[in-house]
């Protein structure tokens, strides 16, 4: 976690310096709710039976230093209702095979975003983006790191106030975990641009 903090600090200092040189400077604070999909990518399109909505809070800050690029740290809270234990995991851990009770979920993610809406349509009220990043999360007593892919849109009602709809796919670095495995975080956030 210490290395992650140092890398994050370095990235923020670099982007702040670069933005002052370019003259583009946009900060956006966000707070909202999320739905956690803990299907472990078994069949995320099938339905919502593995979605969790317990204390579903997402907070974050985004710094856009260029028309197309930004960096966005985000903190998410929720709970995993159930976790699937396959036959191999059941043998290794002694847990019963099948769906078992989960636990509290906390996730910290830093994502770089590329805004591509200008290439589709000229509209200053809508911003579309995709991004990549890294994450660290904990479910019950297990923690894991992740490679992230995010996609979303921001809708601006005024120059300062807006709403964001986002989906974040978290690909676990260690696949031998029972609780902290692959998951999605879908969120709706209120935005304040300053």
């Amino acid at each position: 976690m210490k290395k992650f903090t140092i890398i994050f600090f370095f990235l923020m200092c670099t982007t702040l310096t670069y933005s002052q040189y370019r003259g583009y400077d946009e900060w956006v604070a966000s707070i909202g709710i999320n739905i956690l999909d803990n299907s472990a990518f078994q069949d995320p399109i099938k339905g919502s039976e593995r979605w969790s909505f317990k204390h579903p809070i997402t907070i974050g800050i985004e710094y856009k230093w260029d028309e197309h690029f930004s960096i966005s740290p985000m903190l998410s809270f929720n709970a995993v209702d159930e976790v699937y234990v396959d036959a191999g995991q059941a043998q290794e851990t002694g847990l019963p095979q099948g769906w078992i009770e989960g636990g509290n979920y906390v996730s910290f993610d830093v994502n770089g975003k590329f805004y591509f809406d200008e290439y589709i349509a000229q509209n200053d009220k809508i911003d579309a983006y995709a991004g990549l990043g890294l994450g660290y999360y904990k479910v019950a007593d297990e923690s894991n790191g992740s490679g992230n892919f995010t996609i979303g849109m921001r809708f601006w009602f005024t120059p300062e106030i807006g709403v964001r709809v986002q989906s974040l796919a978290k690909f676990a670095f260690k696949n031998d975990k029972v609780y902290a495995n692959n998951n999605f975080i879908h969120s709706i956030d209120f935005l304040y641009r300053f």
Side-chain angles (χ1 to χ4, degrees):
M1 189 67 179
K2 191 174 183 180
K3 289 180 185 178
F4 188 74
T5 305
I6 292 170
I7 291 170
F8 175 70
F9 179 74
F10 175 75
L11 287 172
M12 288 303 292
C13 289
T14 304
T15 56
L16 288 172
T17 304
Y18 182 73
S19 71
Q20 290 177 2
Y21 172 74
R22 291 288 304 246
Y24 196 91
D25 191 22
E26 178 184 284
W27 288 90
V28 177
S30 63
I31 186 165
I33 58 173
N34 68 69
I35 295 174
L36 178 66
D37 178 357
N38 193 46
S39 61
F41 301 155
Q42 291 173 8
D43 197 355
I45 309 299
K46 184 178 178 183
S48 59
E49 64 270 2
R50 300 293 169 221
W51 288 13
S52 300
F53 193 72
K54 294 181 179 176
H55 50 273
I57 297 171
T58 302
I59 57 173
I61 190 91
E62 182 172 352
Y63 181 67
K64 195 172 178 188
W65 71 85
D66 184 81
E67 288 180 72
H68 302 291
F69 296 102
S70 74
I71 189 165
S72 176
M74 182 176 81
L75 188 61
S76 301
F77 301 94
N78 209 315
V80 174
D81 291 327
E82 293 181 302
V83 177
Y84 185 77
V85 179
D86 63 26
Q89 290 173 325
Q91 227 173 14
E92 289 175 17
T93 62
L95 294 169
Q97 183 177 351
W99 291 97
I100 62 170
E101 187 176 337
N104 288 330
Y105 179 93
V106 178
S107 175
F108 177 71
D109 301 285
V110 177
N111 298 302
K113 298 177 182 176
F114 173 71
Y115 285 85
F116 57 84
D117 51 281
E118 283 186 16
Y119 301 113
I120 299 170
Q122 295 291 328
N123 187 340
D124 59 354
K125 302 267 186 207
I126 299 174
D127 300 328
Y129 62 86
L132 299 172
L134 297 172
Y136 175 83
Y137 60 106
K138 186 173 182 177
V139 181
D141 291 331
E142 281 186 350
S143 61
N144 208 340
S146 66
N148 301 340
F149 173 74
T150 185
I151 189 160
M153 295 184 79
R154 302 188 307 184
F155 303 92
W156 296 103
F157 306 120
T158 70
E160 295 85 21
I161 306 295
V163 172
R164 175 178 61 212
V165 178
Q166 175 177 278
S167 288
L168 174 68
K170 295 176 65 68
F171 298 90
F173 288 152
K174 296 180 182 176
N175 292 321
D176 59 344
K177 303 283 185 172
V178 174
Y179 296 97
N181 214 324
N182 299 336
N183 58 78
F184 288 99
I185 302 174
H186 309 290
S187 62
I188 298 174
D189 303 291
F190 294 101
L191 305 176
Y192 177 70
R193 179 162 47 190
F194 56 97

